[in-house]
Amino acid sequence: MKRRALLALPLLGGCAEWRYRANALGSHLDLLKQARPIDDWLADTSTPAALRERLAQAQRLRAFASQALALPDNASYRRYVELPQPAVVWNVVAAPVFAIELKRWCFPVMGCVGYRGYPSKAEAEALAAQLQAEGWDVYSYGVPAYSTLGYSNWLGGDPLLSTFLRGGLPETARLIFHELAHQAAYSPDDSGFNEAYATAVERLGLQAWWAAHPDAQLQALDEAREQRRARWQALAVQARDELRAIYADDTRDRARAKAERFTQLREQIDALAVQDPGYSGYRAWAQAANNAHLALLATYHQRVPAFEALFERLGRHWPDFHAEVARLARLPRAERDALLT
């Protein structure tokens, strides 16, 4: 749920106000100052044994990403920062009351993206309240990772954060693979393209990891989590599609139909949680769900099958896959969309 919102931090300036840009850049530079090489953490006898094992594991995943998945072999994720909070960035997304599409903010280099990110939870909540007062459906959430798209490698690279390590090996792998994918190929002005590609990389990359490092017990647990996630996504996508039809029909009471459909979605997820406690984490998402939640879900998942199919067509050859995605990223959006459909 919240983990899936892994978005690039807009450090490079843009049409937003100067204070917003300065805060984002300052926060990133503070992290870079705190970062220590992972080898130093491993050599430090005061490093707790559990953390030492997670860091060693992260190093293995980082090496695998470049050696087996052909992801960038650079300075990123080779230094570590321990954070006191559960998220490194708080994002805000918004959608119209009767449409499932994200409001967009524009920045140079990054282009236009469907979110606004803050290093401060209070600032994110303030923007969320402002947008809600303006009549938008709003979703504010914490994220465990971000990418500077490789632009900070000359400063030591994006650091590995303690937020990467809290979900165990599968989640750490997904975060590392996903964020490095943003450095391999990125299209300004197309969040759906970027996030679906990175999501496909994390999924395919984890499959490759399991093939090379079998762990039946851990893999079974992860597959069970992924099956729950897929079931939740299927219910959310069904609701999204039905709501789009509702919003397109201005002859009906759209507000009432919208409320009824979101109530149905909450009841469906509550029923799953009663049957299987593993779904309980989705209840909070469902209780707050609105158009912004569903639009964000589409950004990350709608095109993933197209990228997975492209990977198969290219013979599951990682260098060719990344090169082709980078080529697609340079095409006009309409041409790129046609090729991926």
Side-chain angles (χ1 to χ4, degrees):
M1 298 153 316
K2 294 181 181 179
R3 180 191 65 78
R4 298 311 327 130
L6 309 177
L7 302 175
L9 189 66
L11 301 175
L12 304 173
C15 59
E17 68 274 11
W18 176 87
R19 181 173 174 271
Y20 170 73
R21 303 197 305 264
N23 281 351
L25 178 59
S27 175
H28 180 65
L29 293 177
D30 285 344
L31 286 178
L32 294 181
K33 290 177 184 177
Q34 296 175 51
R36 290 171 52 200
I38 291 177
D39 285 341
D40 289 357
W41 285 88
L42 295 175
D44 189 339
T45 56
S46 67
T47 301
L51 175 58
R52 183 179 288 106
E53 172 55 30
R54 289 195 296 271
L55 289 174
Q57 189 177 80
Q59 276 196 322
R60 293 191 291 271
L61 291 165
R62 178 64 183 85
F64 184 82
S66 295
Q67 294 167 9
L69 310 182
L71 288 167
D73 188 3
N74 56 32
S76 290
Y77 311 118
R78 302 187 189 280
R79 298 189 301 160
Y80 177 70
V81 177
E82 185 76 30
L83 296 176
Q85 68 269 17
V88 65
V89 175
W90 280 264
N91 279 353
V92 179
V93 294
V97 174
F98 295 128
I100 299 180
E101 58 186 37
L102 291 178
K103 174 181 172 62
R104 303 207 302 166
W105 288 269
C106 298
F107 309 90
V109 181
M110 280 188 62
C112 295
V113 294
Y115 69 95
R116 182 97 156 175
Y118 291 90
S120 161
K121 183 178 181 181
E123 287 181 294
E125 290 177 341
L127 176 62
Q130 175 189 325
L131 290 169
Q132 193 167 19
E134 293 173 4
W136 296 87
D137 276 12
V138 181
Y139 178 27
S140 179
Y141 56 96
V143 298
Y146 65 85
S147 173
T148 59
L149 309 181
Y151 286 99
S152 68
N153 279 318
W154 67 281
L155 292 172
D158 293 344
L160 182 76
L161 307 171
S162 54
T163 49
F164 279 62
L165 308 179
R166 291 173 180 164
L169 183 147
E171 295 300 288
T172 301
R174 289 189 179 92
L175 288 167
I176 291 174
F177 300 163
H178 186 110
E179 298 308 319
L180 284 172
H182 284 314
Q183 299 186 26
Y186 185 86
S187 174
D189 228 16
D190 196 343
S191 295
F193 176 89
N194 298 324
E195 298 305 332
Y197 160 61
T199 299
V201 168
E202 69 173 70
R203 288 172 52 163
L204 295 166
L206 190 57
Q207 291 173 16
W209 173 268
W210 292 131
H213 306 84
D215 186 330
Q217 183 177 7
L218 187 57
Q219 187 174 358
L221 290 172
D222 184 59
E223 288 176 351
R225 283 194 295 267
E226 287 303 292
Q227 288 169 4
R228 294 187 188 101
R229 184 173 291 151
R231 179 60 178 148
W232 158 70
Q233 288 172 357
L235 291 174
V237 167
Q238 181 182 15
R240 181 196 69 197
D241 293 344
E242 292 178 11
L243 283 162
R244 280 178 172 160
I246 289 169
Y247 300 151
D249 183 1
D250 57 9
T251 66
R252 67 189 301 177
D253 185 344
R254 293 185 295 177
R256 178 178 178 180
K258 173 185 178 180
E260 290 174 348
R261 189 58 186 86
F262 275 111
T263 296
Q264 181 184 356
L265 178 60
R266 287 193 293 272
E267 290 173 348
Q268 288 171 323
I269 292 177
D270 283 344
L272 289 177
V274 169
Q275 298 168 13
D276 179 354
Y279 284 99
S280 59
Y282 293 99
R283 275 181 144 162
W285 180 92
Q287 288 299 319
N290 58 34
N291 291 344
H293 292 69
L294 299 181
L296 181 64
L297 183 68
T299 297
Y300 278 85
H301 296 281
Q302 190 164 349
R303 293 183 182 173
V304 171
F307 283 104
E308 293 179 336
L310 176 62
F311 183 68
E312 295 294 335
R313 288 201 301 274
L314 294 171
R316 303 181 66 85
H317 188 250
W318 285 99
D320 288 350
F321 177 56
H322 299 310
E324 177 62 8
V325 174
R327 185 188 73 83
L328 292 173
R330 295 189 293 269
L331 295 177
R333 184 166 182 170
E335 184 176 352
R336 181 170 63 242
D337 287 348
L339 289 171
L340 284 172
T341 300

